[in-house]
Amino acid sequence: MSTVVPLASAASELQQIGVKKCFDEPYRIFFPLGILWVLIGVLYWVPVAFGTALEGVPSMVHVYVQVYGFLWSFVVGFLGTAVPRFSGTRWMTRMETLSLLSLSVICMGLLLTQRFAYAHLVFLVSSLVLAGGMGYRVFTRKKEIPATLACIPFALLAAVLGGISLCVTFYGLSVNGAWYVMGKGLLMQGMMLLFLMGVGGFLIKSILHVNVAQGPGVAVQSTQSLRGQWILFSCVSIVVLLSYGIESFLAARTGAVLRAAVVTWVCVWQIGIWRWPRSGKLTAVTLWFGLWLMVVGLWGEAVFSETYRLAFRHLTLMGGFAYSIFAVATRVILSHAGCHALLARRYWPFTTASVLMFIGLITRFSVEFIPMHARHHLGYAAGAWGCGVLVWSATVLPFSFRAMSSSR
């Protein structure tokens, strides 16, 4: 009896520590949540392609479940974990994490019941909550943070502006369809482009093992002050945001070309994807490939006709964004689990997941070129891509809950 009480007490203490770490490091909550949402959003196409179960459900459900569910969950999980560390400020509070979690669930519920106007409003509130929390930590930081993180506030601004633009449309505040086009572009692309550029200068370079001193832009970078670099990346972010306004209200191709050019400059000259990654890390090649897919997708949208624009947009979303997200998430999860040895070698489940996702990506890309088989190809693409996500989820995601009792 004397040993039972201490053991029960220790188990209870470990459980409390584990729960606390989940709230302190919200990637442990939001990465699995993002997987749930992406599977719902992608597998939507399987019954549509091969049956009639979801025949009456609009494709807009698929679009916004991906944006408000998948993309946003990984943004929240990463920023909520990384920004307090980089800034030397307080960890995410339980109230902040619970608020963002509740808003995500409510937003998904509204989307799945096709209450789009309310879903856009809830997402807007969620983006304001995250922007406020991260902004407070940046302004009260106790140490210098990487200059490329200047893109992160603009990524959150893209989320806020996108939410406002869609609310303007759905609540009938304007009949100009350009507001909807701009809002959708900011949310589907702008937010993630700026987010990836923000983490590109330190984490992505670290994964790719890029030495800035050997890159093409060294002459400029080595002579710039930290303040100058902050101004540079702030200007880059502003141009990306403005490109969506130009594309929606003035000249569609001009805005798209401007955006593609700026993102290419950041990826090639600043992040260094112009050469094969020298890193032996597990995620390096996948991340490098994903960034190139993103660049190619953006140029494809800018150059090709409206007929093929959707194909290249999926190259950016299913390829560029998804590969980058899963590569960065794998790095975060395995690093926090203490599995550094696993990061330094091949891990066949991760490779298998990447291959399956690529098969799904190419199948989806082909849909616009062979419209007579579009319906079934959408189902094949969703099935292959979803299987890749399931393999990753079953083999990498469980590491999120390892070492839960270790001290911070």
Side-chain angles (χ1 to χ4, degrees), residues 38-90:
V38 75
L39 289 174
I40 291 174
V42 169
L43 297 180
Y44 155 90
W45 286 113
V46 176
V48 169
F50 301 106
T52 58
L54 297 177
E55 199 68 49
V57 179
S59 61
M60 203 157 38
V61 172
H62 159 75
V63 172
Y64 290 111
V65 166
Q66 300 293 70
V67 176
Y68 294 167
F70 172 50
L71 298 181
W72 185 245
S73 292
F74 276 86
V75 167
V76 172
F78 180 86
L79 293 183
T81 302
V83 170
R85 290 176 180 271
F86 286 121
S87 60
T89 53
R90 72 183 187 189

Side-chain angles (χ1 to χ4, degrees), residues 18-235:
V19 171
K20 187 175 189 303
K21 285 184 73 65
C22 279
F23 286 106
D24 289 347
E25 300 173 335
Y27 83 90
R28 302 180 190 271
I29 296 174
F30 284 94
F31 285 4
L33 190 66
I35 293 299
L36 172 63
W37 301 145
V38 75
L39 289 174
I40 291 174
V42 169
L43 297 180
Y44 155 90
W45 286 113
V46 176
V48 169
F50 301 106
T52 58
L54 297 177
E55 199 68 49
V57 179
S59 61
M60 203 157 38
V61 172
H62 159 75
V63 172
Y64 290 111
V65 166
Q66 300 293 70
V67 176
Y68 294 167
F70 172 50
L71 298 181
W72 185 245
S73 292
F74 276 86
V75 167
V76 172
F78 180 86
L79 293 183
T81 302
V83 170
R85 290 176 180 271
F86 286 121
S87 60
T89 53
R90 72 183 187 189
W91 298 81
M92 289 283 283
T93 66
R94 184 166 297 198
M95 181 60 70
E96 286 177 305
T97 303
L98 283 175
S99 297
L100 290 167
L101 176 61
S102 301
L103 288 168
S104 178
V105 173
I106 292 170
C107 185
M108 290 302 101
L110 291 170
L111 283 177
L112 295 176
T113 54
Q114 302 179 44
R115 293 176 171 86
F116 297 109
Y118 294 115
H120 297 318
L121 184 60
V122 171
F123 175 78
L124 176 59
V125 173
S126 179
S127 61
L128 288 171
V129 170
L130 183 64
M134 296 302 103
Y136 171 80
R137 287 168 174 82
V138 169
F139 285 114
T140 61
R141 63 186 183 274
K142 296 180 175 61
K143 55 185 180 182
E144 290 298 337
I145 57 180
T148 56
L149 277 179
C151 297
I152 297 298
F154 291 97
L156 296 174
L157 179 59
V160 172
L161 292 177
I164 291 174
S165 298
L166 292 184
C167 285
V168 165
T169 301
F170 276 81
Y171 285 96
L173 301 179
S174 173
V175 295
N176 189 345
W179 284 101
Y180 178 76
V181 174
M182 184 176 72
K184 192 174 178 181
L186 285 168
L187 292 171
M188 289 185 67
Q189 279 190 347
M191 176 181 72
M192 282 305 303
L193 288 174
L194 292 166
F195 171 73
L196 289 174
M197 289 194 293
V199 301
F202 60 100
L203 181 57
I204 291 178
K205 276 187 176 180
S206 172
I207 295 174
L208 298 179
H209 202 250
V210 172
N211 187 352
V212 178
Q214 298 177 5
V218 62
V220 176
Q221 285 194 358
S222 61
T223 58
Q224 285 179 330
S225 65
L226 183 61
R227 181 180 178 183
Q229 292 180 35
W230 270 84
I231 293 174
L232 171 65
F233 284 103
S234 295
C235 291

Side-chain angles (χ1 to χ4, degrees), residues 257-315:
V257 169
L258 178 63
R259 179 166 60 252
V262 170
V263 173
T264 301
W265 176 78
V266 172
C267 289
V268 175
W269 289 76
Q270 297 296 317
I271 298 177
I273 65 170
W274 59 278
R275 64 182 178 187
W276 184 262
R278 295 183 298 124
S279 171
K281 291 173 182 173
L282 169 70
T283 54
V285 173
T286 299
L287 179 56
W288 176 85
F289 186 55
L291 292 174
W292 272 114
L293 285 173
M294 182 176 73
V295 170
V296 172
L298 289 173
W299 279 110
E301 281 194 61
V303 173
F304 287 90
S305 66
E306 196 69 28
T307 305
Y308 303 119
R309 193 172 189 185
L310 189 59
F312 284 99
R313 176 155 291 190
H314 277 86
L315 204 64

